[in-house]
């Protein structure tokens, strides 16, 4: 069984910064791609950023230049550094990781979500 524990969410003023973390644990053989999604009230979940196991990244146009995704493979952890935050960034942020467990085929696993609120 895989556990994905998110942290770092909270309340921040417009223009502020926040850093989200998502740490995977369990009988992990390999963590492949890791991604951040977000979902605002009344809206569908959308991809914010992704990173491959070799470090290639991609971002939604709405966050490009403001957010940075990174990973620490030794810690099975993905980060999302969020700068110049805007009220429209307010959402629940979820991490998604494709993980191969010992003795199991690869599969997708979701974190529990962490609330980010950008408001003055």
């Amino acid at each position: 069984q895989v556990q994905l524990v998110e942290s770092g969410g909270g309340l921040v003023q417009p223009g502020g910064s926040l850093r989200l973390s998502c740490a995977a644990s369990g009988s992990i053989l390999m963590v492949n791609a890791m991604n951040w999604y977000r979902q605002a009230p009344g809206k569908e979940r959308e991809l914010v950023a992704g990173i491959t196991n070799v470090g290639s990244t991609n971002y939604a146009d709405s966050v490009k230049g403001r957010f940075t995704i990174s990973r620490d493979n030794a810690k099975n952890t993905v980060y999302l550094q969020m700068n110049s935050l805007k009220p429209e960034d307010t959402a629940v942020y979820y991490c998604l990781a494709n993980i191969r467990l010992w003795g199991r085929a690869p599969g997708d696993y979701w974190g529990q979500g962490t609330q980010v609120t950008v408001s003055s």
Side-chain angles (χ1 to χ4, degrees):
Q1 190 80 19
V2 171
Q3 293 186 90
L4 287 174
V5 179
E6 300 180 32
S7 62
L11 175 65
V12 66
Q13 294 184 1
S17 297
L18 218 52
R19 189 193 192 201
L20 306 183
S21 300
C22 177
S25 62
S27 56
I28 296 171
L29 174 61
M30 180 178 293
V31 178
N32 299 311
M34 305 184 81
N35 305 273
W36 286 99
Y37 285 76
R38 68 186 181 188
Q39 187 167 26
K43 296 184 178 180
E44 294 188 343
R45 191 170 299 185
E46 65 174 346
L47 178 65
V48 176
I51 186 168
T52 71
N53 63 322
V54 295
S56 297
T57 60
N58 64 281
Y59 299 91
D61 288 341
S62 59
V63 307
K64 201 169 297 181
R66 299 188 298 120
F67 291 10
T68 302
I69 188 171
S70 62
R71 64 190 290 166
D72 185 336
N73 290 336
K75 297 180 178 179
N76 290 326
T77 299
V78 62
Y79 305 95
L80 186 67
Q81 178 67 48
M82 304 184 293
N83 299 324
S84 302
L85 283 162
K86 304 174 180 179
E88 49 262 47
D89 295 318
T90 296
V92 178
Y93 284 70
Y94 300 90
C95 66
L96 170 69
N98 184 267
I99 299 173
R100 177 182 281 272
L101 302 177
W102 286 100
R104 301 273 291 179
D108 289 340
Y109 299 88
W110 289 92
Q112 83 281 5
T114 185
Q115 176 71 49
V116 172
T117 302
V118 185
S119 177
S120 59

